[in-house]
Amino acid sequence: QVQLVESGGGLVQAGGSLTLSCAASGRPFSNYAMGWFRQAPGKEREFVAAISRSGGNTYYANSVKGRFTISRDNAKNTGYLQMDMLKPEDKAVYYCAVKTSGSSAYSYEYDYWGQGTQVTVSS
């Protein structure tokens, strides 16, 4: 079992920045690829970014490419999502998730999920 706890969400003005953290426990974080997903009210959960187990490969949704940066520190068992140039449409609950083997943009492939953290962007 892996437990994931997100933090760092909050209210920010459009154009601002936030950094989300995902603290993992239970099993070695380095065994898992990590992804960030988000879900806005009334919408499906969508892929945001993913990172390989070593951190050497990253992937982004087109909607966040160039604005968001995913990273990880395996020594600290923590993953991150740096969000810059935030837009009102980025408002959502953000979830981190982990899976064995390679990264994926498909939520159903992920094995463990955090509880989510709310990000609100005011215009």
Side-chain angles (χ1 to χ4, degrees), residues 29-105:
F29 186 53
S30 56
N31 288 356
Y32 300 89
M34 182 187 72
W36 285 95
F37 294 80
R38 66 187 182 186
Q39 188 166 19
K43 294 189 176 182
E44 299 274 328
R45 187 171 298 188
E46 65 173 359
F47 169 73
V48 175
I51 189 167
S52 60
R53 286 174 289 181
S54 68
N57 294 295
T58 57
Y59 310 90
Y60 297 92
N62 287 335
S63 59
V64 306
K65 200 171 294 182
R67 300 188 298 122
F68 290 12
T69 303
I70 189 171
S71 62
R72 65 190 297 160
D73 185 337
N74 287 339
K76 294 183 178 179
N77 292 322
T78 303
Y80 305 96
L81 184 67
Q82 172 70 37
M83 306 186 294
D84 298 316
M85 295 180 285
L86 282 160
K87 303 176 181 180
E89 52 263 43
D90 293 319
K91 175 184 177 180
V93 177
Y94 283 71
Y95 300 89
C96 67
V98 296
K99 64 183 295 292
T100 55
S101 67
S103 308
S104 172

Side-chain angles (χ1 to χ4, degrees), residues 5-24:
V5 178
E6 301 97 334
S7 61
L11 173 64
V12 64
Q13 287 189 328
S17 299
L18 280 175
T19 300
L20 305 184
S21 297
C22 175

Side-chain angles (χ1 to χ4, degrees), residues 99-121:
K99 64 183 295 292
T100 55
S101 67
S103 308
S104 172
Y106 300 104
S107 59
Y108 64 83
E109 294 189 3
Y110 284 78
D111 302 304
Y112 301 101
W113 291 80
Q115 82 290 347
T117 186
Q118 176 72 51
V119 171
T120 302
V121 185

